[in-house]
């Protein structure tokens, strides 16, 4: 299923906020609606918002010719780039497509399609490299995987990052069980990863986030696989809130902790995790579950959407081009 596409000035995307109960398709033909969809997480996951951003720039160039209407075009570039701060893919793709759009608006769309195709090929490569590494590290013929958030085709354009590895293991017939964490507050694991695992026919059991560390200590999984929103030059990795707890627990349990992300998620301009801006999404998502209040009206909350796992807790980083064995002293 192609969950994100562009044709004739319209970006079509599945609304991830409605899954799995409803399959609603959004047709977006203006920049404000695209920025709203990214902020609301109708489209989410670092590579997917990168592709959506690239299409957004192509759409903006169509609506506002950069040579005659540069003020409106530059405002669109700014709004799309700033829609979410942590996933570096969005800034990377906007910075790649916008200069092309400024000189040749028609060429911007070809570049956006190229970015989509690159992410598609990257997912296939990460799946293969990651599956090989998992089997090597686990030293077993059959493996059980734990993962957080949604890192599948919904979060990229097909197959995914960490979930692509799990899909490849399943296709090779060596996946005993996948264990996704539900991923509060927005339940990307409980709603989206389960939806994708079911569609691929993989065996899985869902757990609440706080069960992850305990189950690792009890030997329930052979490997932890996560995606990334930004990997700093020293290997520190920003990913969905809860990743850091899993990394600490994996270290405690002696379980390999593997980050799977395309090269486009590496940010060599950011030295380390302390310099990564972490999006706080405000109290509403914590004080409610899918808009149903669970706390007294007016409850304040801290809501970091991501955390940073230090490189010292990461066994390896798998990209579409290489395996960086961080625990063996290899660097990006
Ligand atoms: O807030 P989200 O749902 O956009 O967060 C997504 C994640 O944290 C993913 O793990 C990350 O973007 C990698 S997706 C291939």
């Amino acid at each position: 299923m192609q969950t994100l596409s562009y044709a004739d000035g319209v970006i079509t995307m599945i609304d991830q906020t409605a899954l799995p109960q409803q399959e609603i398709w959004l047709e977006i033909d203006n920049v404000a609606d695209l920025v709203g969809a990214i902020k609301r997480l109708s489209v989410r996951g670092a590579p997917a918002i990168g592709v959506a951003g690239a299409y957004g720039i192509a759409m903006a160039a169509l609506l506002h010719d950069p040579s005659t209407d540069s003020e409106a075009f530059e405002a669109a570039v700014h709004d799309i780039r700033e829609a979410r701060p942590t996933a570096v893919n969005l800034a990377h793709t906007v910075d790649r497509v916008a200069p092309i759009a400024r000189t040749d608006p028609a060429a911007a769309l070809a570049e956006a399609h190229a970015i989509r195709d690159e992410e598609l090929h990257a997912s296939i490569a990460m799946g293969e490299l990651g599956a090989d590494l998992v089997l090597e590290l686990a030293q077993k013929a059959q493996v059980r995987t734990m993962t957080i958030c949604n890192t599948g085709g919904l979060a990229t354009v097909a197959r995914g990052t960490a979930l692509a590895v799990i899909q490849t293991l399943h296709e090779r017939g060596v996946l005993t069980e996948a264990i996704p964490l539900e991923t509060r507050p927005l339940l990307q694991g409980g709603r989206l990863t389960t939806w994708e695992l079911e569609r691929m026919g993989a065996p899985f059991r869902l757990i609440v986030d706080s069960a992850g560390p305990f189950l690792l200590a009890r030997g329930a999984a052979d490997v932890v696989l996560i995606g990334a929103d930004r990997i700093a030059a020293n290997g520190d990795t920003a990913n969905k809130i809860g990743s850091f707890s899993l990394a600490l627990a994996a270290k405690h349990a002696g379980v390999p902790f593997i980050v799977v992300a395309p090269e486009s998620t590496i940010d060599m301009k950011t030295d380390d995790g302390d310099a990564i801006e972490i999006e706080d999404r405000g109290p509403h998502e914590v004080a409610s579950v899918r808009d149903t209040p669970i706390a007294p009206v007016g409850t304040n909350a801290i809501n970091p959407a991501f955390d940073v796992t230090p490189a010292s807790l990461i066994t390896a980083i798998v990209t579409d081009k290489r395996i960086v064995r961080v625990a063996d002293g290899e660097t990006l």
Side-chain angles (χ1 to χ4, degrees), residues 52-129:
Y55 282 140
I57 299 299
M59 182 175 71
L62 206 69
L63 295 170
H64 314 286
D65 187 333
S67 56
T68 56
D69 195 4
S70 77
E71 205 173 312
F73 176 74
E74 296 306 333
V77 171
H78 173 270
D79 291 352
I80 294 169
R81 196 180 191 282
E82 304 301 314
R84 292 194 79 192
T86 304
V88 75
N89 302 59
L90 181 59
H92 277 168
T93 59
V94 168
D95 292 347
R96 186 169 148 187
V97 180
I100 296 170
R102 284 184 193 108
T103 52
D104 183 358
L109 180 57
E111 190 69 7
H113 282 321
I115 288 170
R116 177 206 55 196
D117 292 346
E118 284 166 22
E119 293 297 354
L120 172 59
H121 292 123
S123 284
I124 296 166
M126 283 182 282
E128 295 296 330
L129 279 176

Side-chain angles (χ1 to χ4, degrees), residues 272-291:
D272 58 33
D274 288 345
I276 299 177
E277 183 183 347
I278 299 295
E279 174 185 8
D280 187 300
R281 294 183 55 83
H284 175 74
E285 293 170 356
V286 177
S288 63
V289 175
R290 300 193 93 181
D291 290 334

Side-chain angles (χ1 to χ4, degrees), residues 41 44-47 84 149 151 155-156 161 188 228-229 239-240 306:
L41 274 54
R44 47 146 298 282
R84 292 194 79 192
C149 198
T151 60
T156 56
T161 58
Q188 291 94 328
D229 286 82
N239 190 54
K240 181 52 57 194
F306 305 98

Side-chain angles (χ1 to χ4, degrees), residues 19 25 103 107 164 219 299:
L19 287 172
W25 291 86
T103 52
T299 293

